[in-house]
Structure formats: C-alpha cells, structure tokens
Amino acid sequence: MIKKHIAIFASGNGSNFEAIARACAKNRVNAVVALLVCDNPNAFVIQRAKKFDIPVFEFQPKNYASKADYETEIVQILKKHNVDLICLAGYMRLVSDVLLNEYEGKIINIHPSLLPAFKGLNAIQQAFEYGVKLTGVTTHFVDKTMDGGTIIGQVAVPIGNCTLEELETHIHAVEHELYINTINKIINYENIT
Ligand code: GAR
C-alpha cells in the first residue's frame, strides 16, 4: 500500500511531531512525514526534524503582507511534497480559507483538553486551575475557529492529586498515542472509501 504523505505544522517544542515521525519510521503508521511547516525559526521542533531528515519550511508571518500570502506559499510547497494530510501539532495560528479550501477535510489538530472546554493557550493549566476533576485530549478536524471543528477522538484523564507538572507529563503521553491512533483511523478510512 502506498504511504500517505503527512505535513506537520508546529510552532514550538515538537514532542507530538517527534511521536508521529517515530511512529511513521517504525511503520506503526502507513505514512511518511514529508514536511515540517514551522512559523518560528527558533522552535526546537526544527532540531527534531533535522534528526529525522525531514524537510522543513520555516517562515515568519511578519515577513508577509497577509496570512493569505504565506498560506498561498505554504500550499505550493505542500503540493510539491504531495501532501495528503496536514496535522497541526502545537501550531499556534488560525488557519484561513486558503489552506482550508485546498485541503478540505484533510487538516486535523490536537488539543490538550476535552473540547469544547478550555480552548486556546495553556489548556492543561486552565483545566488544573479551574479545578475540574477530569480533563483530557481531543483530536478534531480543523475549521476557521480556534480549536474548533468536528471531533474525531477524545481520551479523558482524571486529575486526581497530580501536580500541574505531573498532569502535563501524563497529558502529553496521552496526546502522542491519540494522535497516532487518529492518523491511522483517517488513513485507513481513506483506503476503504
Ligand atoms: C500540545 O500539548 C498540543 O496539544 C498543544 O500544544 C502542545 C504542543 O506540544 N496545542 C494546542 O494547545 C492547540 N490549541 P508539542 O510542541 O510538544 O507537540
């Protein structure tokens, strides 16, 4: 079976990027990570991509007149790499029509809460400080809104007596598995239909 081409969009640390890249390298996912798209030239995720020999498109939004301009360039590069699926993994920007129209139904995201609760930045801390007993991780299709779009998968994580740091560690481990399962679901579904 032909391997799908995934592009991962990330802005920071890249632990989800690395989990997906490793799962592809070990054939746990029938895909290759064909490209990292990164809007922050200082992000650690770029080092991770180099380790896996994955091409990187780095850009700085401030060097473009508009979001439409940089997304237009991104679309050209995605096409050059024959990308089938875009995975946002800590990509801290909203996506506009330029990408959404070109890759309709093919852009997914992961967020460290049980959406629709605790959208946006620092979701793990938001849930911890709110005092909820249960939080978790969500994967979803991407629309124009922040952390919005049809939910694909969710895993609940009880907070119990965890410290914030322990909760973060646990949530990130859950994220890595859920993202791999979600990508597999999408790839396998597409092979059937
Ligand atoms: C992850 O927890 C991801 O769910 C979150 O950013 C983190 C990136 O970590 N994304 C969002 O909050 C999206 N709203 P990573 O760079 O180590 O993968």
Side-chain angles (χ1 to χ4, degrees):
M1 217 176 343
I2 293 168
K3 285 182 190 272
K4 297 281 182 188
H5 283 198
I6 296 175
I8 300 177
F9 286 35
S11 306
N13 176 33
S15 71
N16 280 284
F17 169 90
E18 179 147 354
I20 297 166
R22 181 160 290 136
C24 290
K26 291 188 170 166
N27 292 320
R28 282 187 66 201
V29 175
N30 189 38
V32 288
V33 180
L35 183 70
L36 167 67
V37 173
C38 182
D39 61 343
N40 170 11
N42 299 316
F44 185 60
V45 68
I46 293 172
Q47 309 306 316
R48 298 191 197 252
K50 287 187 178 146
K51 194 170 72 180
F52 283 88
D53 271 331
I54 292 170
V56 180
F57 174 62
E58 284 175 44
F59 71 103
Q60 288 190 277
K62 64 173 190 206
N63 295 336
Y64 294 79
S66 66
K67 187 187 286 267
D69 279 6
Y70 69 70
E71 286 195 353
T72 300
E73 189 171 343
I74 290 172
V75 166
Q76 284 166 5
I77 295 162
L78 294 171
K79 289 188 177 263
K80 217 166 72 188
H81 288 271
N82 298 316
V83 167
D84 303 296
L85 177 69
I86 297 173
C87 299
L88 309 187
Y91 180 65
M92 296 308 189
R93 291 186 184 275
L94 295 179
V95 169
S96 84
D97 278 339
V98 175
L99 270 166
L100 287 169
N101 292 341
E102 201 64 49
Y103 288 90
E104 199 189 340
K106 301 199 180 297
I107 310 180
I108 60 176
N109 182 41
I110 190 156
H111 184 73
S113 76
L114 290 177
L115 287 172
F118 306 117
K119 294 182 175 188
L121 287 178
N122 304 320
I124 304 172
Q125 188 175 350
Q126 287 186 54
F128 186 83
E129 287 176 356
Y130 196 92
V132 291
K133 302 294 177 203
L134 203 62
T135 185
V137 178
T138 304
T139 50
H140 62 95
F141 289 105
V142 168
D143 66 17
K144 268 193 230 179
T145 65
M146 186 177 63
D147 300 316
T150 305
I151 289 173
I152 307 166
Q154 284 189 311
V155 175
V157 174
I159 294 184
N161 295 321
C162 283
T163 63
L164 176 58
E165 290 68 32
E166 286 165 346
L167 181 62
E168 283 171 345
T169 304
H170 188 182
I171 294 256
H172 289 311
V174 170
E175 282 193 307
H176 301 161
E177 281 309 300
L178 179 62
Y179 220 166
I180 290 160
N181 291 342
T182 297
I183 292 168
N184 270 329
K185 229 187 233 176
I186 288 175
I187 287 175
N188 294 336
Y189 177 80
E190 285 195 343
N191 281 329
I192 296 166
T193 56

